[in-house]
Amino acid sequence: MITLDTISKRFGSITAVDGLSLAIEPGEVFGLLGPNGAGKSTTIAMTVGLLSPDSGTVRIDGGDPVDAAVRASLGVAPQSLAIYDEMTARENLVFFGSIYGLDGATRTRRADELLELVGLTDRARDRVKGFSGGMKRRVNLACALVHDPRVVLLDEPTAGVDPQSRHAIFEIVRELQDQGRTIVYTTHYMEEAQKLCSRVGVIDKGNLLALDSVDGLICEHGGESVVRIERAEGEERVQTAEPLAVLQRAAREREHDGRAGRSARSGDSLSESHRPEPQGLSGTSPERALGREQRHSRACARGS
């Protein structure tokens, strides 16, 4: 569906994309993952024909994206919002529909469908300038879909959005995938790629560093989890491929140590203030300790 063959792009002395090759299959949600300045937006611009590569070729279903017929099959939601603040949400959609040559009835129908898709039907007649950042992102995405494209390119669509809009955008991407569209999704959040994408290409400084499924990338590059256990005598760190088993074992040890401490106290005459403290995980119960260590495990696993 989308083929990038050793494309490169330079801006003066800066190489934004350096010999990048990708093949994206029909119906795939492909993630392009990398930090700011990695070359993601430049790659999108070359893919849709806004920029010409200095070398290499781009093909969409065998066609050149500079051709009008090929461009008509593409929908692009750029990172920089491409909507008009003084227009209402509906007016933006109708306007972009007219640019794509849709007739009046089709523009109206598509505007209604897309406002419902992005959850803004009740704000259809409100000017976009009064919308939150997340709502503007949703209008931006809807405008990319107004002509019913087969290929959708989303350049960091959740940048600066609130949690509600972020979740809504995730649901929209999943629905577009269910409709069989090919989607390219750029982000610098691994969590987003993991939730949405079947494959991910990791790029930095214009170079492709890795290409695989998310699970494959984690397996090859993620390493084992590190579990941090806080005990009375100090902190213990355990590197493991089975963090839950380590946490359960630690909880059992704490419970055992607690029973031993209670048994020792029942056989002596020390005052309450001098009784020995039970050794084990800090906390009030194995269940709470386990829950806390699970949170530690998840945080450390993300950081490892």
Side-chain angles (χ1 to χ4, degrees):
M1 171 62 77
I2 301 175
T3 304
L4 311 181
D5 185 7
T6 59
I7 59 172
S8 297
K9 188 66 182 179
R10 293 178 61 86
F11 299 98
S13 61
I14 298 173
T15 300
V17 178
D18 188 9
L20 180 65
S21 294
L22 291 171
I24 300 170
E25 300 298 326
E28 181 176 17
V29 180
F30 184 87
L32 202 55
L33 180 70
N36 292 331
K40 302 187 299 295
S41 295
T42 302
T43 298
I44 293 294
M46 288 190 287
T47 301
V48 302
L50 290 176
L51 288 175
S52 297
D54 295 334
S55 60
T57 58
V58 178
R59 291 292 180 265
I60 310 291
D61 247 0
D64 192 324
V66 301
D67 295 340
V70 175
R71 282 194 179 185
S73 70
L74 307 177
V76 186
Q79 183 178 358
S80 298
L81 294 172
I83 53 178
Y84 293 94
D85 277 354
E86 295 300 323
M87 290 184 178
T88 67
R90 177 182 292 281
E91 287 170 346
N92 268 281
L93 289 166
V94 170
F95 171 74
F96 281 101
S98 66
I99 289 178
Y100 283 107
L102 305 183
D103 60 54
T106 303
R107 291 199 300 267
T108 299
R109 175 178 58 81
R110 287 297 291 161
D112 290 338
E113 291 172 350
L114 292 168
L115 286 166
E116 182 176 359
L117 175 68
V118 300
L120 292 174
T121 299
D122 59 337
R123 302 295 301 272
R125 299 183 182 279
D126 294 343
R127 289 187 180 183
V128 169
K129 68 179 181 181
F131 286 7
S132 69
M135 293 166 66
K136 288 181 178 181
R137 284 285 171 192
R138 283 186 270 167
V139 176
N140 195 55
L141 196 160
C143 289
L145 303 173
V146 69
H147 57 301
D148 201 21
R150 293 181 296 111
V151 180
V152 181
L153 300 102
L154 307 177
D155 192 5
E156 300 202 18
T158 62
V161 308
D162 56 273
Q164 180 182 4
S165 290
R166 188 167 180 257
H167 176 74
I169 290 170
F170 287 174
E171 291 302 311
I172 293 166
V173 172
R174 292 187 181 105
E175 185 162 342
L176 295 175
Q177 182 184 24
D178 290 342
Q179 295 170 5
R181 301 179 200 267
T182 304
I183 302 169
V184 179
Y185 188 104
T186 80
T187 181
H188 52 264
Y189 296 118
M190 186 62 172
E191 175 197 358
E192 293 190 357
Q194 190 170 9
K195 285 179 179 291
L196 299 172
C197 303
S198 50
R199 286 192 306 148
V200 175
V202 181
I203 67 170
D204 191 21
K205 298 179 180 178
N207 292 287
L208 183 65
L209 304 182
L211 175 62
D212 204 341
S213 65
V214 173
D215 288 342
L217 290 173
I218 292 174
C219 180
E220 184 173 354
H221 302 285
E224 294 184 328
S225 298
V226 177
V227 179
R228 190 174 66 223
I229 303 171
E230 296 175 5
R231 301 182 184 274
E233 61 270 21
E235 180 181 282
E236 178 185 1
R237 297 173 69 90
V238 181
Q239 185 169 332
T240 177
E242 298 182 352
L244 184 57
V246 172
L247 295 170
Q248 291 171 336
R249 184 172 65 251
R252 288 195 300 269
E253 289 174 357
R254 180 195 185 279
E255 186 175 10
H256 176 270
D257 290 347
R259 285 198 301 267
R262 289 192 297 272
S263 176
R265 286 196 299 272
S266 67
D268 62 39
S269 59
L270 291 175
S271 66
E272 185 68 27
S273 61
H274 290 87
R275 287 177 181 170
E277 293 293 333
Q279 301 297 305
L281 285 170
S282 58
T284 59
S285 71
E287 291 77 12
R288 290 180 60 185
L290 176 57
R292 186 180 63 200
E293 294 310 320
Q294 287 174 321
R295 292 193 294 274
H296 281 315
S297 175
R298 287 194 292 269
C300 293
R302 289 195 294 271
S304 64

